[in-house]
Amino acid sequence: MKKIIIINGPNLNLLGKREPGIYGAQSFEDFYTDLKTKYEGFELSYFQSNIEGELIDKIQEVGFSFDGIILNAAAYTHTSVGIGDAIKAIETPVIEVHISNTFAREEFRHQSYISPNAKGVILGFGLQSYELALQSFL
Ligand code: DQA
């Protein structure tokens, strides 16, 4: 069974409450429960942190044994050389995801330190971005 982890960065613990016009009204926990039921063929896990170093620690921890990482680094996408370097350092393929279409938003969201090192990028499909990323491992 393929081992896939979803890693969420800062403020994504507030999904459902946070700017619902942009990020939707569903909590990630509810979405994740449904996803696990729908894709029982994967060994799925989930990690969220608001702390850059904890995200890097998790990427390193799973990056030599898991089959895939679905990463929404949230605001750190646009700032973190450290997370970009962590992705370069590991062997596990990373799919970068975003709920919103970051290219349709402010200019500072157009820059990503994740994309150059990701296997692929999926953005703008709401929470479905995560599901599309997962399907890429089927
Ligand atoms: C986000 C987009 C980022 O620009 C933002 O900082 C987030 C969420 C998204 O999923 O649309 O926190 O990664």
Side-chain angles (χ1 to χ4, degrees):
M1 216 189 260
K2 279 188 183 164
K3 282 172 84 163
I4 310 290
I5 186 168
I6 296 172
I7 299 180
N8 270 345
N11 302 306
L12 293 173
N13 54 312
L14 295 179
L15 282 179
K17 295 181 200 147
R18 169 195 188 202
E19 299 184 88
I22 297 175
Y23 299 115
Q26 196 177 16
S27 74
F28 195 81
E29 286 68 22
D30 283 353
F31 170 76
Y32 179 62
T33 304
D34 291 349
L35 198 68
K36 272 177 96 160
T37 310
K38 197 166 165 188
Y39 294 90
E40 281 175 337
F42 289 113
E43 200 179 316
L44 258 188
S45 48
Y46 170 54
F47 178 79
Q48 189 276 332
S49 177
N50 294 323
I51 300 167
E52 187 175 11
E54 286 186 358
L55 295 166
I56 294 171
D57 282 347
K58 184 54 78 176
I59 290 165
Q60 290 185 6
E61 183 191 316
V62 300
F64 296 91
S65 55
F66 276 52
D67 298 294
I69 297 173
I70 296 170
L71 174 65
N72 186 348
Y76 290 139
T77 304
H78 318 300
T79 62
S80 180
V81 175
I83 294 177
D85 280 353
I87 294 166
K88 252 187 252 170
I90 60 170
E91 286 166 2
T92 300
V94 172
I95 312 292
E96 174 183 359
V97 301
H98 299 284
I99 297 163
S100 63
N101 176 357
T102 48
F103 292 104
R105 300 180 64 194
E106 303 95 321
E107 186 99 30
F108 68 85
R109 295 186 204 274
H110 301 181
Q111 157 84 353
S112 170
Y113 286 96
I114 313 300
S115 305
N117 308 308
K119 186 174 176 205
V121 183
I122 299 171
L123 54 86
F125 293 94
L127 288 172
Q128 203 196 347
S129 295
Y130 293 89
E131 184 173 352
L132 294 170
L134 189 59
Q135 286 174 356
S136 77
F137 292 106
L138 281 173

